[in-house]
Short mmCIF file of all heavy atoms in Angstrom, two decimals:
data_model
loop_
_atom_site.label_atom_id
_atom_site.label_comp_id
_atom_site.label_asym_id
_atom_site.label_seq_id
_atom_site.Cartn_x
_atom_site.Cartn_y
_atom_site.Cartn_z
N ASP A 1 -14.06 -4.03 5.41
CA ASP A 1 -12.76 -3.37 5.38
C ASP A 1 -12.77 -2.16 4.45
O ASP A 1 -11.98 -1.23 4.63
CB ASP A 1 -11.67 -4.34 4.94
CG ASP A 1 -10.29 -3.75 5.16
OD1 ASP A 1 -9.91 -3.57 6.34
OD2 ASP A 1 -9.61 -3.45 4.17
N ALA A 2 -13.65 -2.18 3.44
CA ALA A 2 -13.77 -1.03 2.55
C ALA A 2 -14.28 0.20 3.29
O ALA A 2 -14.15 1.32 2.80
CB ALA A 2 -14.69 -1.36 1.38
N VAL A 3 -14.88 -0.02 4.44
CA VAL A 3 -15.26 1.09 5.31
C VAL A 3 -14.05 1.54 6.13
O VAL A 3 -13.77 2.73 6.26
CB VAL A 3 -16.41 0.69 6.25
CG1 VAL A 3 -16.70 1.79 7.26
CG2 VAL A 3 -17.66 0.35 5.45
N ILE A 4 -13.30 0.58 6.64
CA ILE A 4 -12.19 0.88 7.55
C ILE A 4 -10.97 1.45 6.83
O ILE A 4 -10.41 2.46 7.24
CB ILE A 4 -11.77 -0.39 8.33
CG1 ILE A 4 -12.95 -0.92 9.15
CG2 ILE A 4 -10.58 -0.09 9.23
CD1 ILE A 4 -13.44 0.02 10.21
N SER A 5 -10.54 0.82 5.73
CA SER A 5 -9.29 1.23 5.07
C SER A 5 -9.33 2.67 4.57
O SER A 5 -8.46 3.47 4.91
CB SER A 5 -8.97 0.27 3.92
OG SER A 5 -8.55 -0.97 4.42
N PRO A 6 -10.31 3.05 3.74
CA PRO A 6 -10.34 4.45 3.30
C PRO A 6 -10.55 5.42 4.46
O PRO A 6 -10.00 6.52 4.47
CB PRO A 6 -11.52 4.49 2.32
CG PRO A 6 -11.72 3.09 1.89
CD PRO A 6 -11.36 2.26 3.08
N SER A 7 -11.34 5.00 5.45
CA SER A 7 -11.60 5.89 6.58
C SER A 7 -10.32 6.15 7.37
O SER A 7 -10.04 7.28 7.79
CB SER A 7 -12.66 5.28 7.50
OG SER A 7 -13.89 5.14 6.83
N GLY A 8 -9.52 5.09 7.57
CA GLY A 8 -8.27 5.27 8.29
C GLY A 8 -7.33 6.21 7.55
O GLY A 8 -6.70 7.09 8.15
N THR A 9 -7.22 6.05 6.23
CA THR A 9 -6.35 6.91 5.44
C THR A 9 -6.89 8.33 5.40
O THR A 9 -6.13 9.30 5.52
CB THR A 9 -6.22 6.36 4.01
OG1 THR A 9 -5.67 5.04 4.08
CG2 THR A 9 -5.33 7.24 3.17
N GLY A 10 -8.20 8.48 5.23
CA GLY A 10 -8.79 9.81 5.24
C GLY A 10 -8.56 10.53 6.54
O GLY A 10 -8.30 11.75 6.57
N ASN A 11 -8.62 9.80 7.65
CA ASN A 11 -8.37 10.37 8.96
C ASN A 11 -6.94 10.91 9.06
O ASN A 11 -6.70 12.02 9.54
CB ASN A 11 -8.60 9.31 10.04
CG ASN A 11 -8.36 9.81 11.43
OD1 ASN A 11 -8.74 10.92 11.78
ND2 ASN A 11 -7.69 9.01 12.25
N VAL A 12 -5.97 10.14 8.56
CA VAL A 12 -4.57 10.57 8.61
C VAL A 12 -4.36 11.80 7.73
O VAL A 12 -3.68 12.75 8.12
CB VAL A 12 -3.64 9.42 8.16
CG1 VAL A 12 -2.20 9.91 8.06
CG2 VAL A 12 -3.72 8.26 9.15
N TYR A 13 -4.96 11.79 6.54
CA TYR A 13 -4.75 12.92 5.64
C TYR A 13 -5.47 14.18 6.11
O TYR A 13 -5.05 15.29 5.80
CB TYR A 13 -5.18 12.56 4.22
CG TYR A 13 -4.04 11.99 3.40
CD1 TYR A 13 -3.82 10.62 3.33
CD2 TYR A 13 -3.17 12.82 2.73
CE1 TYR A 13 -2.78 10.09 2.61
CE2 TYR A 13 -2.11 12.31 2.00
CZ TYR A 13 -1.92 10.94 1.93
OH TYR A 13 -0.87 10.43 1.23
N MET A 14 -6.56 14.03 6.84
CA MET A 14 -7.19 15.21 7.44
C MET A 14 -6.20 15.88 8.38
O MET A 14 -6.03 17.12 8.37
CB MET A 14 -8.45 14.80 8.21
CG MET A 14 -9.17 15.97 8.89
SD MET A 14 -9.93 17.11 7.72
CE MET A 14 -11.29 16.09 7.15
N ALA A 15 -5.51 15.07 9.18
CA ALA A 15 -4.50 15.61 10.09
C ALA A 15 -3.33 16.19 9.31
O ALA A 15 -2.80 17.26 9.64
CB ALA A 15 -4.02 14.52 11.04
N GLY A 16 -2.90 15.48 8.26
CA GLY A 16 -1.76 15.94 7.47
C GLY A 16 -2.04 17.26 6.77
O GLY A 16 -1.16 18.12 6.67
N THR A 17 -3.26 17.44 6.25
CA THR A 17 -3.62 18.70 5.60
C THR A 17 -3.48 19.86 6.55
O THR A 17 -2.99 20.94 6.19
CB THR A 17 -5.06 18.63 5.06
OG1 THR A 17 -5.21 17.50 4.22
CG2 THR A 17 -5.40 19.89 4.27
N ALA A 18 -3.91 19.66 7.79
CA ALA A 18 -3.79 20.72 8.80
C ALA A 18 -2.33 21.09 9.03
O ALA A 18 -1.99 22.27 9.17
CB ALA A 18 -4.44 20.28 10.10
N ARG A 19 -1.43 20.09 9.04
CA ARG A 19 0.00 20.38 9.23
C ARG A 19 0.57 21.13 8.05
O ARG A 19 1.44 21.99 8.20
CB ARG A 19 0.78 19.08 9.45
CG ARG A 19 0.88 18.62 10.90
CD ARG A 19 -0.44 18.16 11.44
NE ARG A 19 -0.37 17.67 12.82
CZ ARG A 19 -1.44 17.28 13.50
NH1 ARG A 19 -2.64 17.29 12.93
NH2 ARG A 19 -1.31 16.87 14.75
N VAL A 20 0.12 20.82 6.84
CA VAL A 20 0.60 21.52 5.65
C VAL A 20 0.15 22.98 5.68
O VAL A 20 0.94 23.90 5.40
CB VAL A 20 0.09 20.81 4.38
CG1 VAL A 20 0.30 21.70 3.16
CG2 VAL A 20 0.81 19.49 4.19
N LEU A 21 -1.11 23.22 6.00
CA LEU A 21 -1.61 24.59 6.09
C LEU A 21 -0.90 25.36 7.20
O LEU A 21 -0.59 26.55 7.05
CB LEU A 21 -3.12 24.59 6.33
CG LEU A 21 -3.97 24.01 5.17
CD1 LEU A 21 -5.42 23.87 5.61
CD2 LEU A 21 -3.86 24.90 3.94
N PHE A 22 -0.64 24.67 8.32
CA PHE A 22 0.13 25.28 9.41
C PHE A 22 1.51 25.71 8.91
O PHE A 22 1.98 26.82 9.17
CB PHE A 22 0.27 24.28 10.56
CG PHE A 22 1.30 24.67 11.59
CD1 PHE A 22 0.96 25.48 12.66
CD2 PHE A 22 2.61 24.22 11.48
CE1 PHE A 22 1.91 25.85 13.60
CE2 PHE A 22 3.56 24.56 12.42
CZ PHE A 22 3.22 25.38 13.47
N ALA A 23 2.18 24.80 8.16
CA ALA A 23 3.52 25.10 7.67
C ALA A 23 3.51 26.27 6.71
O ALA A 23 4.41 27.12 6.73
CB ALA A 23 4.10 23.85 6.98
N TRP A 24 2.50 26.35 5.88
CA TRP A 24 2.37 27.45 4.92
C TRP A 24 2.24 28.77 5.67
O TRP A 24 2.89 29.76 5.34
CB TRP A 24 1.15 27.18 4.07
CG TRP A 24 1.30 27.57 2.64
CD1 TRP A 24 2.45 27.87 1.98
CD2 TRP A 24 0.24 27.69 1.70
NE1 TRP A 24 2.18 28.16 0.67
CE2 TRP A 24 0.84 28.06 0.47
CE3 TRP A 24 -1.13 27.52 1.75
CZ2 TRP A 24 0.09 28.27 -0.69
CZ3 TRP A 24 -1.87 27.72 0.60
CH2 TRP A 24 -1.27 28.09 -0.61
N ALA A 25 1.35 28.79 6.66
CA ALA A 25 1.14 30.00 7.44
C ALA A 25 2.37 30.35 8.27
O ALA A 25 2.68 31.53 8.49
CB ALA A 25 -0.08 29.83 8.34
N LYS A 26 3.07 29.34 8.73
CA LYS A 26 4.23 29.54 9.60
C LYS A 26 5.31 30.35 8.90
O LYS A 26 6.05 31.10 9.54
CB LYS A 26 4.79 28.18 10.02
CG LYS A 26 5.84 28.24 11.11
CD LYS A 26 5.22 28.59 12.43
CE LYS A 26 6.25 28.50 13.54
NZ LYS A 26 5.67 28.95 14.82
N LYS A 27 5.41 30.22 7.59
CA LYS A 27 6.43 30.93 6.83
C LYS A 27 5.97 32.32 6.38
O LYS A 27 6.67 32.99 5.63
CB LYS A 27 6.85 30.11 5.61
CG LYS A 27 7.58 28.82 5.96
CD LYS A 27 8.84 29.07 6.77
CE LYS A 27 9.88 29.83 5.97
NZ LYS A 27 11.10 30.08 6.76
N GLY A 28 4.79 32.75 6.84
CA GLY A 28 4.36 34.11 6.58
C GLY A 28 3.76 34.35 5.21
O GLY A 28 3.62 35.50 4.79
N ILE A 29 3.38 33.29 4.49
CA ILE A 29 2.78 33.49 3.17
C ILE A 29 1.35 32.94 3.13
O ILE A 29 0.83 32.59 2.08
CB ILE A 29 3.63 32.85 2.06
CG1 ILE A 29 4.01 31.41 2.40
CG2 ILE A 29 4.87 33.67 1.80
CD1 ILE A 29 4.79 30.71 1.29
N PHE A 30 0.73 32.86 4.31
CA PHE A 30 -0.67 32.50 4.41
C PHE A 30 -1.18 33.11 5.70
O PHE A 30 -0.40 33.58 6.53
CB PHE A 30 -0.83 30.97 4.38
CG PHE A 30 -2.21 30.50 3.98
CD1 PHE A 30 -2.85 31.05 2.89
CD2 PHE A 30 -2.86 29.50 4.69
CE1 PHE A 30 -4.11 30.62 2.51
CE2 PHE A 30 -4.12 29.06 4.32
CZ PHE A 30 -4.74 29.62 3.23
N TYR A 31 -2.49 33.11 5.90
CA TYR A 31 -3.05 33.79 7.07
C TYR A 31 -2.48 33.22 8.37
O TYR A 31 -2.43 32.01 8.57
CB TYR A 31 -4.57 33.64 7.06
CG TYR A 31 -5.24 34.40 5.94
CD1 TYR A 31 -5.80 33.71 4.86
CD2 TYR A 31 -5.30 35.79 5.94
CE1 TYR A 31 -6.41 34.40 3.81
CE2 TYR A 31 -5.90 36.49 4.89
CZ TYR A 31 -6.46 35.79 3.84
OH TYR A 31 -7.04 36.46 2.81
N SER A 32 -2.08 34.11 9.26
CA SER A 32 -1.37 33.71 10.48
C SER A 32 -2.23 32.87 11.42
O SER A 32 -1.69 32.09 12.21
CB SER A 32 -0.87 34.96 11.24
OG SER A 32 -1.96 35.80 11.60
N ILE A 33 -3.56 32.99 11.34
CA ILE A 33 -4.42 32.22 12.23
C ILE A 33 -4.23 30.71 12.02
O ILE A 33 -4.42 29.91 12.93
CB ILE A 33 -5.91 32.60 12.04
CG1 ILE A 33 -6.76 31.96 13.14
CG2 ILE A 33 -6.41 32.18 10.65
CD1 ILE A 33 -8.20 32.41 13.11
N PHE A 34 -3.81 30.33 10.81
CA PHE A 34 -3.61 28.92 10.52
C PHE A 34 -2.23 28.44 10.97
O PHE A 34 -1.91 27.26 10.83
CB PHE A 34 -3.80 28.65 9.03
CG PHE A 34 -5.17 29.04 8.53
CD1 PHE A 34 -5.31 29.99 7.53
CD2 PHE A 34 -6.30 28.46 9.07
CE1 PHE A 34 -6.57 30.36 7.07
CE2 PHE A 34 -7.56 28.83 8.62
CZ PHE A 34 -7.70 29.78 7.63
N GLY A 35 -1.41 29.34 11.49
CA GLY A 35 -0.09 28.98 11.99
C GLY A 35 -0.04 28.89 13.50
O GLY A 35 1.05 28.89 14.09
N LYS A 36 -1.19 28.82 14.16
CA LYS A 36 -1.25 28.74 15.62
C LYS A 36 -1.64 27.34 16.07
O LYS A 36 -2.44 26.67 15.42
CB LYS A 36 -2.25 29.76 16.16
CG LYS A 36 -1.87 31.22 15.88
CD LYS A 36 -2.87 32.18 16.48
CE LYS A 36 -2.53 33.62 16.14
NZ LYS A 36 -1.23 34.03 16.70
N VAL A 37 -1.07 26.92 17.19
CA VAL A 37 -1.34 25.60 17.75
C VAL A 37 -1.98 25.76 19.12
O VAL A 37 -1.54 26.57 19.93
CB VAL A 37 -0.03 24.79 17.88
CG1 VAL A 37 -0.28 23.47 18.60
CG2 VAL A 37 0.57 24.53 16.50
N ASN A 38 -3.05 25.01 19.35
CA ASN A 38 -3.71 25.05 20.65
C ASN A 38 -2.78 24.52 21.73
O ASN A 38 -2.23 23.42 21.60
CB ASN A 38 -5.00 24.22 20.59
CG ASN A 38 -5.78 24.28 21.88
OD1 ASN A 38 -5.53 23.49 22.79
ND2 ASN A 38 -6.72 25.21 21.96
N ALA A 39 -2.58 25.29 22.79
CA ALA A 39 -1.60 24.94 23.83
C ALA A 39 -1.97 23.65 24.55
O ALA A 39 -1.09 22.87 24.92
CB ALA A 39 -1.48 26.09 24.83
#
């Protein structure tokens, strides 16, 4: 489980980090390429 538990949380936070960077770029105070979503 020490393999599964941290891995599951790390997986979620990898996704969450991308959303945070997206939000930062979305407001025009970070590079716009990070504010785009694949259709």
Side-chain angles (χ1 to χ4, degrees):
D1 191 67
V3 174
I4 300 297
S5 288
S7 298
T9 301
N11 180 42
V12 174
Y13 269 93
M14 179 69 72
T17 306
R19 271 69 178 177
V20 167
L21 294 172
F22 166 88
W24 217 15
K26 190 72 174 175
K27 293 301 295 180
I29 49 177
F30 201 46
Y31 292 108
S32 60
I33 189 173
F34 302 120
K36 297 182 183 297
V37 174
N38 183 273

